[in-house]
Every structure is written in structure tokens, then in C-alpha cells.
Amino acid sequence: MQVTTTPVLRDIVLIGGGHSHVGVLYMFAMKPLPGVRLTVICTDTDTPYSGMLPGYIAGHYGFDDVHIDLRRLAEFAGARYYRDEVVGVDRAARKVLCRHRPPVAYDALSINIGSTPRLDDVAGASEHAVPVKPIRRFNERWLALLDRVCRHAGATTIAVVGAGAGGVELLLAMQYRLRNELTALGRNPDELRCHLFSAEAQILPTHNAAVRSAFEGVLAERGVVVHRAAEVTEVAAGRLRTRTGEVLDADEIVWVTQAGGAAWLRQTGLALDDKGFIRVRDTLQSETDPLIFAAGDCAAMIDHTLEKAGVFAVRMGRPLAENLRRTIMRQPLIDYRPQRHWLALISTGDRHAIASRGAFYARGDLVWRWKDWIDQRFMRKFSEFAAMSAVVSANEAIPLDDSEQTQAISAIAMRCGGCGAKVGATVLSRALADVRPIERDDVLIGLHAPDDAAVVRVPPGQAVVHTVDFFRAFIDDPWLFGRIAANHALGDIFAMGGEAQSATAIATIPPGLESKVEDTVFQMMSGAVSVLNEAGCALVGGHTGEGKELALGFAINGLIEERLATVMRKGGMCPGDVLILTKPIGTGTLFAAHSRLKARGRWIDAALDSMQVSNRAAVPCLIAHGATACTDLTGFGLLGHLVEMTRPSGVDAELELDRLPVLAGAAETAAAGILSSLQPANVRLRRALRNQDEAVRHPNYPLLFDPQTAGGLLASVPAETAESCIAALCGLGYRSTARIGRVLPQGEVLEPIRLVV
Ligand SMILES: Cc1cc2nc3c(=O)[nH]c(=O)nc-3n(C[C@H](O)[C@H](O)[C@H](O)COP(=O)(O)OP(=O)(O)OC[C@H]3O[C@@H](n4cnc5c(N)ncnc54)[C@H](O)[C@@H]3O)c2cc1C
């Protein structure tokens, strides 16, 4: 996460990680505008590059060759990345509405979400056909089909509906790959039958006659049955029917026809064309709202008719970035001038391609190599960041209104300490107005009737469990950070076998414009409260001060039976017990790698998902299976916390390195020597290891010292119940739960832990 000293003055929000927005991110990385914060919201961290998709299907490229890692690109650009689905825009409030998180505020907005297949127009298509978009879902279906064809003996029929460049290219790529797979299995490749359906009398209607005839030849040579003037009007399970009454039984029906705009765009009030695409001026600004831009397939230029092709989406990136910048700077916008003819390099699956531009036509293996060179060069731009250095223009001062001017000066001036460093009461009360902590009967005075302090009742027969935790934001996403900080703090209560009752928050927020500070507090606290509420824990108070970095912590009170019957201590381990860990480890190395652009975005996604998993349900399950001791994994890492358990228990322990559940990518980043800044302090505990020399080369060895944020539970369970306990924990959603070792009687040697390699 990059920490900037300039206060945030304006927010540009990008919806979708399409071909134009990856260009915008790249351009802002090259030339940042101080005071402007970019946020990209996208459903897919791995965003596909359409030009190479057929090559991936044909088997010439791997998954990562044809996808741009949006989280990593955003990190490089100093932008926020939110993985979510946008479901609307509240233009009056200037907020983007997301499916899973609170609304995201913008000063300027851009939409680049591609197109949506129009399956609803044809009976049965939504249920029984496979649309090519979104490509993530198509890819899942494609991998399943590959598997099915290889396993299933006998003929397979594939029908592609739509004979534009996308449909033809995709069909040839699928056929090439599947025939190769069948041949490799020693089966007859002719078991595969391919059909192409065109609503028009000819295929590739927007290309010249020479290109069309070349593809007619390729399709005939490959035995593809082409159905012309055959509009598909009905789809059922394994069957399609055309307007002329022709019926075909097919194992897979792939839909690559003309698409429309996403349904949610209709509720935005933006002017749309008859297919539901956003009408934009030459500046790429919406016809309706000058603060909203659109680019790529989801935009319909008012004064130009463009084919829906990635090449235009890519070209729009530069003028779009420039106009977003100019909108913030209140400068005149520039026009995007689309080219009249554009070059399409359409592959035939077998490392051969056909070039089409206006009346121009060429074909050959050399054309494929040319396409491959162009595509690889494009992708390198978004994956190889090392040698680049950003140019920041010192002269660009964002125009502000008078009141904003004062706030901005104050945000960078010397700030007061003591009580003067509190976030202002108005900002705070506005930010918290929409945050709704749960109310509990045992909270007598809390946030619903704020006072100097909260008052809570301890029910008879119960005792209070206290804990406190606090840390700096490790990710530039206040909502997610709030959720993880709350989950992390609750972990100690659950690990003791307690139920969370009430929480007070302590936070620091970087100074800035009031509206931006307010939004940060709102995002962070609504994330935190969503988790506290789920845990039944009432937020009863807190303190928010200014600080250089965003940070959040909680003092949490929990309740537990007074006679301590359900208390889970660290010191109850018995020889013979099995050691169980409920979540994978590796968050420390992964986030260290993320900030150095060395982690894949999907590894970070998975780590963030894991950090949000609550330990709450795991504890009763462990207790029911007779757990003898338990702790939650946090900063000291697995080894540190294990030693904290063996010492008071008076036992030794054995850890099996091969069995450790590890987050995707963590072994790679640790092997690359990328470790958390806390790791060296944790490594000092290696003196607790009996046979360190034998284990030091094991890929999981460094992860023993990796500090965890919101880690899982480490518990000792009697051997007789261990297997059923693991099965029950997996059933509760702790899918990575593993038996990682066992408890031994205390031996003669000083070092308590033995590693099994
Ligand atoms: C098989 C095939 C091959 C093709 N080959 C070529 C080719 O060689 N050359 C060419 O120029 N064109 C090609 N095309 C056309 C090309 O795919 C599209 O024109 C291009 O992808 C459009 O780019 P875009 O940036 O508008 O949107 P997209 O590339 O579709 O990107 C949209 C992004 O927005 C995200 N998104 C969508 N909805 C939401 C939401 N609600 N909230 C958040 N995020 C969202 C998606 O996850 C995605 O990351 C091909 C098409 C197909 C089907």
C-alpha cells in the first residue's frame, strides 16, 4: 500500500477493469495527479485481454498470459482496487452502488464494463446456452467441457451461435484444442463435430469479401458445418432450433451473438441507445451527465458508429485518462477521433491468422506471429513495471472551492496534538449517522444514548473477558480494513471460548477535506460494525484522532461462564493430543509482497477472504470435541503461538511442515525472500526448534515465523476425536482445517518443538 503525504482532494472512480481502464490506470501511474485518488471497482481481479482469448482456448497461452492482474496494476498506479459488482449509480449523491459494500463516492466517474450477452431474447438460451461473457464464467464452462470431452467416450457436438469474428475465431480455437486433446489420448479427433450458426446469409458480415472467402475455406477444410441465414430462435437442454425449423442436438451451445448494455445502466437515468449502451459525446462524456464517462463496448458514440471491438476500447484509454484529469482540473476536454478502418488479426486456431482492414486482406503463419508480437507487447505493459518511473507535475494544483481551499491548507499545515487532534464532531457524527451497531439489553448506556463512557451489565454467573488490538491499515480499502480489524480483535475473545458483548474503537485518520475524512470514517466503521454485529457485539463508543496513517483497533469485552467451565486456555495441552489449525497461514509474506508488486492479485483476494472468516463458530466445535487448549494466530506467527501453548502446558510438540495449510502464493513469496517486517523478531524464536537444520530448506519453514492478521485457531484435541473434529470444522466452512502435528510429553532437551520434514 502506498502512503501519500498529499491529502486527497478528488476521487475518480473507474467501474470495470476493461481495456480502456487498464490504460487509464497505466497513464495515471506514469503521470499521477497529486490530490487525486483513483478507485477501480471490478468483478474480476484477473481481467481478460480479448485479443489473446482464442489463443488461450487453442492452448497456445496459459491463463496468466491472457489476463491482466488488476489488483497489481492498481497497486502500481497507487489506486484503490475494490473487487465487487457495481449494481447502480446514485447520480444525485455522486455515489457508486455496489453489491457487497457501502456506496463509493466519486467526483468524476468512468464506466468500462463491456457488453452483456442478450440471452433473454431467445427462449431457453439463458438456461441452456453458454455465453462468451463474462469470460470468467465462460472459462469455467470451457474447462469443464475440456474435461468432459476427454472423459466421455464417443461423439461430442459443439454449436457456436454467432458468426462474427468472435464466434468464428472461438469455434476454430475450441476445435483445434479439443482435436489435439483427443489425439493425445489416442482417440479419433473426428469424434468432435462442430456447427456454426449465422443469422445472416454470410459469415463475418462486417469484413471484406476476401476475408470472408478465406474463412469459408478454412471452415470447410476443418469440417465445420456452417448454417447460413439460420437465426437460432429456441434453445432447450442439448438442443437448438432455428427460425427455419432446423433442429440440432448439441452437447454444448456457445452464444457469441450481438450483445447489449448491462441491465443496471437503465436505472442510472443516463441516455442509452436502443441496445442499452451509454450514449457518449466525442469527449467520451455521457450525453446526460458531464461527470460520467463511458468507454469500450458499453459506450455508444453519438457521432460515430463503431464495431464492438477491443481495439477501440484500448484506443479510448488515452483520451479518457486525459479527460478525467481535465475534468478534475476544470480544463476544456479533448475529443477522441476513432480511426475509419481498423486492423483485425483473426486467428484460425492453428497459429495461423488472417488480417482484415477495410479492403485489405492477408494471411499466413507470419500474420499470427505478428498478432502474437502485438498482443504480448500489449500485455507486457501491464505486467512488467520495474523500470518505470512516474512523472509528477509539480505545477498542477487542483481548483478548489473557497471552503475546500481552507480545509486543504489546514490538512497540510502543522496539526495540533492532544485533544486538538480529534476528528471534528460534525464530521464524526455525519460519518457515523448511517453506521448502525446492534443494540443489546445488557448495554445500559451505549452509542444509542452517548455519554462520557458506556455502561454495560454483566449477567449473573458470568465473568468479563477483556482484550485489545490495534494496527495500521495494510490495504487501501477502509471498508475491508475495518472488517478485518474487527475480526482480528474479536479473535482473542473467541479463542478463550467467550461470547463478544461490547466494543470501543480507537482510530487514526489522515487529515484532509472534511468530505473525504467523513467518507473514510464511514467506510471503515461500517465495515467494522458489519463484523461486530454479525458477532453479536455492540459498538458502545470510541475515539477517532488524526494521524499520518489510517489505523484502527478495538477494546472488546466478552462474557464467559464465571466458573470458567468453557474457558479455553493456552496451557491445557496433553501429551497425545493432535494439533489442529483452522485457517491457512501466510498473510505476512503475502502483504509484504503485494506492496512490492510481487504478489498475484488473486493470492491477495484469497488472503483477504480468509482474514474475514470469523473464528466464532469454530470454538464451540472444538469444545464439543474435547479441545484441551486453544489460541488464535496473530503477530507472533505459528511457532510463537505454539510455544506460548507448550510452555504453560509443560509439554513438547511436533509440527509436520508438509501438513501446514498455506495460503496460495505464500510459499512462493517467502521463497523469494519477501517477508513481513515483523518476521526477524519472530525468527528469534527458532531457538525453540530442536532440529532446525533439517527443516530450514523446507518451503514452509519461513512460514512458521510469518505474522498473521486475523489468523485461525490453533488447538489441541484428543487423538480420538481429532478426525471428527476436523470433519466438523470443514463442514462449518473452515475448509483448510488441518491436522498439523501432535503434543509430546516434555523431554530432556531444552527445545520444545520438533519439526517433521
Ligand atoms: C472470442 C472473442 C474474441 C475477440 N477477439 C477480439 C480481437 O481479437 N480483437 C478485438 O479488438 N476484439 C475482440 N473481441 C471483442 C472484445 O472482446 C470486446 O470488444 C472487448 O472485450 C470490449 O472491451 P471492454 O473494455 O469494453 O470490456 P471488457 O473487456 O468486456 O471488460 C469489462 C470489464 O468490466 C468488468 N465488469 C463488467 N460488469 C461489471 C460490474 N457490474 N461491476 C464491476 N465490474 C464489471 C468485467 O469483469 C471486465 O473486467 C473478441 C470477442 C470475443 C468474444
Side-chain angles (χ1 to χ4, degrees), residues 465-468 486 489-490 493 500-504 532 537 554-558:
V465 198
H466 290 290
T467 178
V468 65
L490 287 164
I493 303 284
Q501 182 200 35
S502 60
T504 45
L532 294 173
C537 180
F554 294 91
I556 300 197
N557 290 335

Side-chain angles (χ1 to χ4, degrees), residues 19 21-27 67-70 72-73 76 314 376-385 388:
H19 297 61
H21 280 174
V22 294
V24 171
L25 287 168
Y26 181 83
M27 272 165 260
H67 286 85
I68 294 168
D69 186 333
L70 208 52
R72 199 166 155 256
L73 176 62
F76 169 64
V314 170
Q376 303 256 22
R377 189 182 55 164
F378 176 82
M379 291 301 280
R380 268 201 301 278
K381 197 165 138 180
F382 300 106
S383 57
E384 294 176 9
F385 304 131
M388 302 174 182

Side-chain angles (χ1 to χ4, degrees), residues 113-119 121 133 257-263 265-266 272-278 297-299 308:
I113 55 168
S115 52
T116 306
R118 294 169 79 172
L119 293 155
D121 299 351
K133 295 219 171 169
T257 61
Q258 281 286 337
L265 292 175
R266 289 196 199 105
L272 307 179
D273 75 355
D274 55 352
K275 290 197 177 114
F277 297 119
I278 304 166
D297 280 9
C298 70
K308 298 295 179 199

Side-chain angles (χ1 to χ4, degrees), residues 13 15 41 86 88-90 94-98 102-106 109:
V13 175
I15 305 178
I41 310 171
V86 171
V89 176
D90 178 348
R94 289 198 200 156
K95 290 199 170 157
V96 176
L97 311 177
C98 300
V104 180
Y106 66 84
L109 178 67

